[in-house]
Structure formats: structure tokens, C-alpha cells
Amino acid sequence: LIEAYLAKVNRAAMAAKRDLSELAADTERVRRRAPPGSGDLRMRQLQHAHLTARLSEAMAGVRQIQRDFEERRREKVERMYRL
């Protein structure tokens, strides 16, 4: 059950990373064409930075959940072993 969930999360994370890479490439193309001080360019840069930070936070949360799960599982096995 947990393995299937983790595989699904990893696929979603990879898709999000691909989307962020595409956004970064689009932003770079806009940067080359945009006049200095372009509001569109700044908006794209901020959006990319925000989405990257959100993905990073989400993945940190997933890693914490994984650590908590592993710790609880280890404790359960230790309790069973002691009996």
C-alpha cells in the first residue's frame, strides 16, 4: 500500500519537475525578447520561484511522512520482537 502511494507521489513529482523545467525554458525565451523592466518577465520569474518553492515544501513533507512511517514500523517490529 505505501509503496504504491510512494510510486504515485514520485511520478507526480517528476511531472511537476518537468513542468517547472518547461516554465523555466519559456521564461528564458521571454527574457531574451522582453524589453528591460518587463512586467511579464518579472511575473514569470516570480511564478517559477513560487512554484519551485511549493514543490520543495511538498516533497519535504512527503519525506517527513516517510520517515515517520518507517520509525513507527521499526518501533512496531521492536515491540513484536520483545514479546
Side-chain angles (χ1 to χ4, degrees):
L1 179 65
I2 189 77
E3 290 81 15
Y5 170 74
L6 291 176
K8 185 176 180 179
V9 167
N10 287 334
R11 282 192 304 274
M14 292 305 293
K17 286 180 185 179
R18 273 193 310 276
D19 292 345
L20 283 171
S21 294
E22 290 174 16
L23 181 59
D26 288 344
T27 300
E28 181 59 24
R29 283 191 288 277
V30 168
R31 187 190 63 76
R32 290 181 189 144
R33 294 187 319 245
S38 170
D40 183 46
L41 176 61
R42 184 69 179 142
M43 181 184 69
R44 286 173 177 270
Q45 291 170 330
L46 288 172
Q47 182 180 34
H48 180 266
H50 175 73
L51 292 173
T52 300
R54 291 286 307 267
L55 178 61
S56 179
E57 290 170 8
M59 293 311 295
V62 168
R63 284 189 299 273
Q64 183 62 47
I65 290 169
Q66 286 175 310
R67 282 191 298 270
D68 293 347
F69 176 79
E70 289 298 324
E71 184 179 330
R72 284 193 309 269
R73 189 179 68 158
R74 194 175 316 115
E75 290 169 355
K76 182 178 178 180
V77 169
E78 286 175 3
R79 281 193 307 270
M80 289 172 53
Y81 180 72
R82 280 186 244 143
L83 295 178

